[in-house]
Every structure is written in C-alpha cells, then in structure tokens.
Amino acid sequence: MSEIEIPEGSPFFSGHFPGSPILPGIVHLALAFPGAALSEVRSLKLRRPVGPGDRLDVVAAVPGPDGVARFEIRRGEETVSQGVVRLGGSNGEPDPGVEAPPASAVPPPETLIPHSAPALLVRSVSETSPQGIVCLAAIPEDHPLAEDGRVPCFLGLEAAAQAAAVLEALERSADEAGPRMGYLVGIRDARLRAPHLSTGRTFRVTARLHGSAPPLSMYQVTLEGASGELLAGTISTYIAAG
C-alpha cells in the first residue's frame, strides 16, 4: 500500500472543471500503476470524486502470470475507486494519428463541456446523431501525463468520455444549453491495442449510446489512428442536474 497526497496545485486539476476542480477519473489508473503500460481495463468503478488536498491510500495487487491485477484507492475508510486491469503491451512507436477532416457546423467543444486546456482533449465534431458522435481529439504536449511526446493509451478513454459529454450537451433543449458537470464513473471491457498515444496528433473518437437511465448513460467507444482501432470498450457517465 502506498499513500499519496493530491496537492491543491496538481497539474491534473488544470482545466478539469475550472472553479470546481476534480481529479480526472482516468488518472486513478496512473496512480495505481505508475509508468505501466496496460493492455486491458477490465473494470474501473469511480465511486467518489477526488479533490485538491485529498490523501489517498493506493492498494495494488502484484500482477498474476497473465498480467491481471486488482487495485483499490481509498480516502480514509471510503473507497474512491477500484478496478481490474491487465498489464503489458508492445513497446512499438505511438500511432501517428489521422488526417483531420473538416469539422461539422456545431459549437466548439469548449462551449459545451466544462473543460479547458490542457484537460480538454476533444477538438472538434465530425458527425453527430441522437445515438452517437464522432469527434477529433488530440493530446496537448503539456498534458500532465505526457512524457517524451507520448501518453498512456488509456487516456483515450477520457477523450471518449468528453465526446459523450459533447453529445449529451448537443441533445439538450435550448433552455438547457451550456456546459454541465458530468463525470466518467465506469469503464468496462476496454481493450488497448497500443501502449501509448502521441501528443499533438489527431485521433478519431466515436461514442455510441448503449443505454440510458438518466442521470446515468452507457456508451460503446472507440479511438482510431492511422493504424486502425487503438482502443475499444464501454464507459459509463453521470450528468449532474442543471
């Protein structure tokens, strides 16, 4: 078990719900397995938000022969997150990304979700329907998880959650328009086909609505680069009431 304090000035809070900073859910994976490449996120349950100044206890099991490991992150007596992952993956070069096609005529993502740089990963919307969305995303070079021009591939799941939040915002009525607090609360059966993504490159993110019981929704998500599909899985999101 290791003890971690999340300082108030942590770069992970930069641009992630400005004015109401919350540790990005995907960062829980980085806290549990720092520096490790993951090939699967079999499950991740985000039970409580983590804020500036929180002290956390991280309990991560030693991976078994198949690379599978469980973890739990606690704040005092409460569990803030827990999950099962598989470690491993090739050490090949990060995917170079895709060509950026013209964006559709929708408002820019920063007007739809409460994120700004460097937390904002979705750059534009390519296609949208009531059941799904295709966005273009890029990882800023100054993202706090970036090292030597690359980030863990699982950060693509954060881009997918942002794409889902954009879709939700576009589907609201005119009198409900504008950014609204929304959270990634779960990941299931996510397969990561590359250990890293390049910073500053463009990737195609798709989120398809799989089920909804407001305020909870489930999406099937993918992220694609020049070499094809880089990750696929299911995410769950929670949208707070306006």
Side-chain angles (χ1 to χ4, degrees), residues 155-199:
L155 188 58
L157 293 163
E158 169 67 15
Q162 292 183 19
V166 170
L167 176 63
E168 193 277 338
L170 291 172
E171 291 303 306
R172 290 186 216 130
S173 61
D175 59 348
E176 297 177 318
R180 183 179 295 179
M181 297 287 280
Y183 311 96
L184 175 67
V185 295
I187 298 171
R188 182 167 55 84
D189 298 331
R191 303 177 305 279
L192 312 176
R193 305 189 189 282
H196 301 101
L197 302 176
S198 296
T199 59

Side-chain angles (χ1 to χ4, degrees), residues 190-234:
R191 303 177 305 279
L192 312 176
R193 305 189 189 282
H196 301 101
L197 302 176
S198 296
T199 59
R201 303 296 180 90
T202 301
F203 299 93
R204 184 180 298 109
V205 183
T206 301
R208 303 290 181 195
L209 187 63
H210 185 58
S212 180
L216 295 171
S217 296
M218 294 177 59
Y219 296 87
Q220 293 178 329
V221 301
T222 61
L223 182 139
E224 298 173 282
S227 58
E229 185 180 278
L230 299 177
L231 68 81
T234 301

